[in-house]
Amino acid sequence: MALLADRESKLLIDGKLVAGSAGVFPTINPATEDTLGVAADATTADMGTAIEAARRAFDDTDWSTNTELRVRCIRQLREAMREHIEELRELTIAEVGAPRMLTSGGQLEGPVDDLSFCADTAENYSWKTDLGFATPQGMPSNRTIAREAVGVVGAITPWNFPHQINLAKIGPALAAGNTLVLKPAPDTPWAAAVLGELVTEHTDFPPGVLNIVTSSDHTVGAVLSQDPRVDMVSFTGSTATGRAVMTDAAVTIKKVFLELGGKSAFIVLDDADLAAACSMAAFTTSMHAGQGCAITTRLVVPRASYDDAVAAAAATMAGLAAGDPNSKRTICGPLISARQRDRVQGYLDLALAEGGSFACGGGRPADQPKGFFISPTVIAGLNNSARVAREEIFGPVLTVIAHDGDDDAVAIANDSPYGLSGTVFGTDPARTSAVAAKLRVGTVNVNGGVWYAADAPFGGYKQSGNGREMGVAGFEEYLETKVIATLAPQ
């Protein structure tokens, strides 16, 4: 791997590192606004070449049936990433703006280690199941259920947790026997392109099995959902873009996996430790500048304790000042771009226009003249009908909303077009369990429980997407089911 300074990444197409037909485009350090280096800029023609390579690798090689090879290659990739983990850490902090402390978990090391789960699952999976003998329509038959790879997978990923999301698609899709074309976000091309270097230098992946196409042009990714040679699209990103992916994929009736937006609620019941719960909510919203789809950004608290809840959340958030992601103490780093910072600021301005107020934060920190920073912010004085309570802001912004009892808290939490995640805090196990059961979401944290793990499926209800990523359920998203019936001898 090249040094971080002045790095120039390439495309990975058909087993080779190649230049982009459109030249290169810069990647920016969001904490300093400095140009780090450049990435290969692909065109739709480059994407077509990558798709053809993936199609050929699936149709003309034994990749889809050679489980031993697949398992070995995925383990090789994991080991290569572990060997270069410190270089990857510095790249992630610089390009993503991810706080250093988060790279030991979900921003880097966790997803790398999770590749072992993908390899182990493929190695131990029951690819065929004997359904037994039967006589449907009077015909004696022996029947088998076979699970097989879907084919060519197009993966389109965002910039907020690039290693986690890239590997959560690459790992299970390839382990299941598919070939894959990855189109990462233009904001974080290196986090994806570096995988191409590691694959070519340290693994036995056959040419065309994994292709990585970076581009500054968002329409290049759209080719994956439009091209008939692609059998499935796996997309993580905004709900609006997810709709476009579904629309494009409908023409060829592709299989589609979508992990989309969220506006998750953190419910505090009236028997909870209010200060501790609100402090955790504030910490969670500030983490990685709130750039996480499952982050709980609505704090739903008992009306009688509303002012105390706002004060507790604000006290914690004020202490989590936006700062240098290189520091081991930083929780809230920069937003990914000037565009995203301006978008978040637009929502803060809207909160005031809607009648809200800031208990802390509210804009750019005075001590950060450069970088795409927004101070962790607590919004008070609004209800669940406010736009800042309904729309995904993707910044370190927590809106505090009052509830009038458990049923009302559940109603507020569920009154959202999204259904990705949720949190419940309280001391009575029966109450917390009852509230958790009523939430229309894909994951629930009760009193600090952690749902993120390699073996736990992740995904949402409603406009937060369809299907599941990670776990055995995530592995099986990349499989088709075939029934084979053989006429039994008389």
Side-chain angles (χ1 to χ4, degrees), residues 274 278 299 301 305-315 358-359 378-381 400:
L274 183 75
C278 293
L299 178 57
V301 301
S305 305
Y306 185 84
D307 291 343
D308 291 339
V310 169
F358 301 136
V378 173
I379 298 174
V400 187

Side-chain angles (χ1 to χ4, degrees), residues 43-53 223 227 229:
T43 63
T44 56
D46 293 324
M47 178 60 81
T49 302
I51 292 171
E52 179 57 32
V223 174
D227 196 299
R229 294 170 294 179

Side-chain angles (χ1 to χ4, degrees), residues 381-429:
L382 296 175
N383 60 31
N384 201 52
S385 66
R387 281 182 59 191
V388 293
R390 303 196 66 77
E391 298 177 14
E392 187 175 42
I393 297 174
F394 233 60
V397 182
L398 181 66
T399 303
V400 187
I401 301 167
H403 74 73
D404 295 308
D406 296 7
D407 289 343
D408 188 46
V410 169
I412 291 169
N414 287 341
D415 180 19
S416 171
Y418 301 108
L420 191 54
S421 193
T423 294
V424 183
F425 260 65
T427 57
D428 182 343

Side-chain angles (χ1 to χ4, degrees), residues 250-263:
V251 176
T252 52
I253 319 296
K254 295 187 199 312
K255 190 172 185 179
V256 177
F257 166 80
L258 300 174
E259 196 276 286
L260 307 175
K263 192 67 179 179

Side-chain angles (χ1 to χ4, degrees), residues 66-76 119-120 122-123:
N66 192 337
T67 303
E68 181 181 355
L69 173 61
R70 301 200 305 271
V71 168
R72 181 172 78 248
C73 289
I74 291 167
R75 287 176 176 157
Q76 288 172 334
D120 293 347
E123 190 171 49

Side-chain angles (χ1 to χ4, degrees), residues 6 14 134:
D6 299 319
D14 205 12

